């Protein structure tokens, strides 16, 4: 363990003591900008917060913040007061100079600032992060998820008041993913707090998500505290899964599907199951344990399939009932259709086709394609578990796409259940983007 890593303490900003002269200061700031005189230090200064850098919004662009949506888009910004560095805390004010929020600044992102706090008297310092983290951990404990499970999303970004911070726990290893300049700024403080409050054997950073490029942040991975055990394992509802923390997808495992996997397990008895985009075998293992007659699992990642096979052994499940196929699902489904194969239960859990709404149209075609084929491969009375983890596809749109797929496949289907991410992935009401995972259980009528 290496808790003695040198710490970089960020200067906390202080709350505003008025800021009535903000507009004047903004004007002054503009003139200075024009003169391009060498600027003083960009660090937020302690003391009088009127001296802190700030963001002034265009008239009328304060509405989403007033509804407590925690992002300030670049198009809403009238001007920047001072010369904050990326990750610095800034005060966000409306066009009249009224305080709206404290936020983390990022000049390299379309999201110019992400809100830390709506309270003007708040001080954004280590104690602030300790409070927020402690509240999130307390809420997780209250969920009572620990029976037969030791994996959990401990911190879920914006929805836990911690924009850009994801922390997943796999037994006694924590994996941290930073997705914002603000969180980068506080990396060491966050690691210290997590070490203190969770005492893990390792905190591993996996800041290599695609979203970081949009934030102008380079990839950053490696051990932050402690040492990474040779093998990491997570227990989920009594099933054991090996987790490749350093090289697996996301933080190594998809904890958000915990409850949905369990539901599949309860409905799999005696059924021929097809699990598409199986990763390390999550849905497949539940189906095998639930008494499936057979489980065909498909993924394009050889590494994931190898772990999946080991996971079957790890749990003493009947590997003769499990078939693993390394293939592109789009092609594999067509082959199965051409072979006239039929299944009783199909899972479609593809990767994010539409990270943002801009990709929705292209993504919609991909979702329709796989779901149409899925419907065609189901026997009458069969169940389709279909998911989208695309932030750019709403619940409504997803349901419409699936309805179109059923129509084109020539089947009638009922929604048996609507599914979402597990309770350790809460969604802040004012931040609907947090509800990225949506799923439907459909039954093809006889
Ligand atoms: N259901 C899984 C998580 C799926 S994540 C679980 O419960 O753990 C999405 C998976 O899709 C990844 O494993 C990725 O390797 C795989 N994938 C992405 N594109 C693919 C494609 N075109 N064909 C097959 N697999 C693909």
């Amino acid at each position: 363990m290496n808790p003695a890593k040198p710490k970089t303490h960020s200067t906390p900003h202080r709350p505003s003591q008025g800021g009535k002269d903000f507009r004047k200061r903004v004007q002054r700031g503009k003139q200075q900008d024009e003169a391009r005189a060498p600027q003083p230090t960009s660090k937020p200064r302690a003391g009088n917060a009127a001296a802190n850098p700030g963001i002034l919004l265009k008239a009328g662009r304060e509405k989403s913040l007033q509804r407590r949506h925690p992002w300030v888009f670049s198009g809403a910004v009238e001007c920047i007061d001072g010369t904050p560095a990326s990750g610095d805390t800034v005060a966000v004010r409306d066009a009249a100079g009224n305080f709206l929020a404290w936020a983390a600044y990022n000049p390299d992102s379309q999201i110019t600032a992400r809100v830390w706090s709506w309270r003007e008297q708040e001080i954004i310092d280590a104690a602030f992060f300790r409070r927020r983290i402690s509240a999130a951990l307390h809420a997780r404990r209250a969920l009572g998820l620990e029976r037969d499970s030791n994996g959990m999303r401990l911190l879920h970004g914006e929805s836990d008041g911690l924009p850009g911070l994801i922390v997943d726990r796999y037994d006694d290893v924590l994996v941290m993913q930073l997705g914002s300049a603000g969180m980068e700024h506080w990396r060491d403080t966050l690691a210290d707090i997590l070490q203190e409050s969770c005492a893990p054997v390792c905190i591993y950073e996996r800041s290599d998500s695609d979203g970081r490029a949009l934030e102008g942040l380079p990839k950053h991975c490696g051990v932050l505290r402690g040492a990474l055990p040779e093998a990491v394992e997570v227990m989920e509802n009594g099933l054991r899964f090996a987790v490749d923390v350093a090289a697996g997808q996301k933080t190594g495992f998809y904890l958000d599907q915990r409850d949905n996997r369990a539901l599949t397990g309860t409905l799999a008895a005696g059924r021929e199951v097809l699990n598409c985009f199986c990763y390390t075998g999550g849905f497949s293992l539940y189906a095998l344990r639930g008494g499936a007659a057979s489980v065909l699992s498909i993924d394009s990642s050889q590494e994931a399939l190898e772990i999946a096979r080991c996971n079957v052994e790890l749990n003493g499940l009947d590997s003769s009932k499990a078939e693993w196929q390394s293939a592109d699902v789009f092609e594999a489904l067509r082959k199965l259709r051409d072979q006239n194969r039929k299944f009783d239960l199909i899972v479609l859990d593809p990767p994010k086709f539409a990270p943002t709404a801009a990709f929705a149209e292209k993504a919609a075609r991909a979702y329709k394609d796989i779901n149409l084929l899925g419907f065609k491969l189901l026997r009458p009375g069969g169940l389709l578990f279909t998911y989208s983890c695309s932030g750019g596809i709403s619940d409504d749109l997803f349901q419409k796409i699936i309805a179109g797929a059923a129509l084109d496949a020539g089947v009638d289907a009922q929604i048996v259940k609507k599914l979402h991410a597990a309770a350790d992935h809460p969604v802040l009401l004012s931040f609907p983007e947090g509800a990225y995972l949506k799923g439907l259980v459909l039954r093809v009528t006889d």
Side-chain angles (χ1 to χ4, degrees), residues 387-427:
Y387 298 95
S388 161
C389 61
S390 295
I393 301 276
S394 66
D395 286 33
D396 275 3
L397 177 56
F398 187 55
Q399 190 172 319
K400 280 196 188 112
I401 295 167
I402 304 305
L407 196 66
D408 288 7
V411 301
D412 287 316
Q414 310 160 317
I415 296 174
V416 180
K417 205 167 170 58
K418 292 190 175 190
L419 304 169
H420 298 283
D424 48 341
H425 297 62
V427 180

Side-chain angles (χ1 to χ4, degrees), residues 249 254 261 277-279 283 299-301 327-330 349-351:
Q249 296 178 26
Y254 291 87
R261 287 191 280 256
F277 309 97
C278 67
Y279 190 47
F283 285 96
D299 202 282
S300 55
S301 161
D328 176 74
V329 164
F330 293 82
D349 183 23

Side-chain angles (χ1 to χ4, degrees), residues 126-143:
F128 166 81
F129 289 102
R130 200 168 286 117
R131 283 194 301 279
R132 286 272 160 103
I133 289 173
S134 153
L137 296 178
H138 181 76
R140 297 304 184 282
R141 277 193 292 276
L143 290 173

Side-chain angles (χ1 to χ4, degrees), residues 228-273:
L228 188 62
E230 225 163 82
V232 177
E233 218 183 274
V234 68
M235 165 94 78
E236 191 184 90
N237 294 313
L239 283 171
R240 294 163 64 191
F241 292 92
V243 181
D244 187 348
V245 161
Q249 296 178 26
K250 293 225 279 193
T251 63
F253 196 63
Y254 291 87
L255 290 166
D256 51 359
Q257 290 282 27
R258 185 191 309 108
D259 297 352
N260 304 332
R261 287 191 280 256
L263 179 66
T264 301
T266 65
L267 295 168
R271 294 187 189 251
E272 286 184 55
V273 175

Side-chain angles (χ1 to χ4, degrees), residues 60-306:
R61 299 303 292 269
E62 68 284 357
K63 299 219 167 57
S64 74
L65 278 112
Q66 282 168 342
R67 286 195 295 267
R68 300 225 164 190
H69 188 277
W71 291 349
V72 177
F73 288 99
S74 58
V77 175
E78 174 71 34
C79 61
I80 309 294
D81 181 35
T83 52
S86 185
D88 278 356
T89 297
V90 292
V92 183
R93 296 177 190 273
D94 68 14
N98 299 306
F99 175 89
L100 293 168
W102 292 110
Y105 178 61
N106 184 351
D108 304 315
S109 168
Q110 300 261 41
I111 304 170
T112 304
R114 293 176 191 243
V115 171
W116 291 133
S117 172
W118 308 102
R119 292 173 55 232
E120 191 168 2
Q121 61 275 31
E122 193 99 72
I123 298 172
I124 310 303
D125 58 2
F128 166 81
F129 289 102
R130 200 168 286 117
R131 283 194 301 279
R132 286 272 160 103
I133 289 173
S134 153
L137 296 178
H138 181 76
R140 297 304 184 282
R141 277 193 292 276
L143 290 173
L145 290 175
E146 310 240 349
R147 245 191 66 213
D148 299 331
S149 298
N150 61 19
M152 201 186 297
R153 173 146 299 185
L154 298 179
L155 305 174
H156 190 46
E158 275 76 353
S159 293
D160 277 314
L162 296 161
L165 176 63
I166 297 294
V167 176
D168 284 341
R169 176 187 153 209
Y170 303 118
D171 193 8
D172 48 10
V173 170
L174 300 190
V175 185
M176 178 161 117
Q177 190 167 78
L178 307 181
S180 66
M183 285 304 174
E184 288 269 319
H185 189 88
W186 293 96
R187 174 185 282 113
D188 280 308
T189 305
L190 297 168
D192 285 344
I193 296 170
L194 287 166
Q195 188 64 45
E196 265 166 50
S197 40
C198 303
V201 297
C202 179
I203 302 177
Y204 194 89
E205 181 173 359
R206 274 299 300 276
S207 298
D208 58 354
S209 65
D210 295 341
R212 279 178 68 92
L214 301 174
E215 300 295 307
L217 302 171
K219 295 186 175 178
H220 191 282
C221 295
V223 171
L224 291 178
R225 298 288 184 274
L228 188 62
E230 225 163 82
V232 177
E233 218 183 274
V234 68
M235 165 94 78
E236 191 184 90
N237 294 313
L239 283 171
R240 294 163 64 191
F241 292 92
V243 181
D244 187 348
V245 161
Q249 296 178 26
K250 293 225 279 193
T251 63
F253 196 63
Y254 291 87
L255 290 166
D256 51 359
Q257 290 282 27
R258 185 191 309 108
D259 297 352
N260 304 332
R261 287 191 280 256
L263 179 66
T264 301
T266 65
L267 295 168
R271 294 187 189 251
E272 286 184 55
V273 175
L274 170 64
N275 180 13
C276 296
F277 309 97
C278 67
Y279 190 47
T280 54
F283 285 96
S284 311
L285 262 73
Y286 277 88
L288 288 169
R289 187 176 66 174
S294 65
V295 183
L296 170 59
S297 309
I298 306 174
D299 202 282
S300 55
S301 161
Q302 280 284 2
E303 296 81 20
L305 289 172
E306 258 161 51

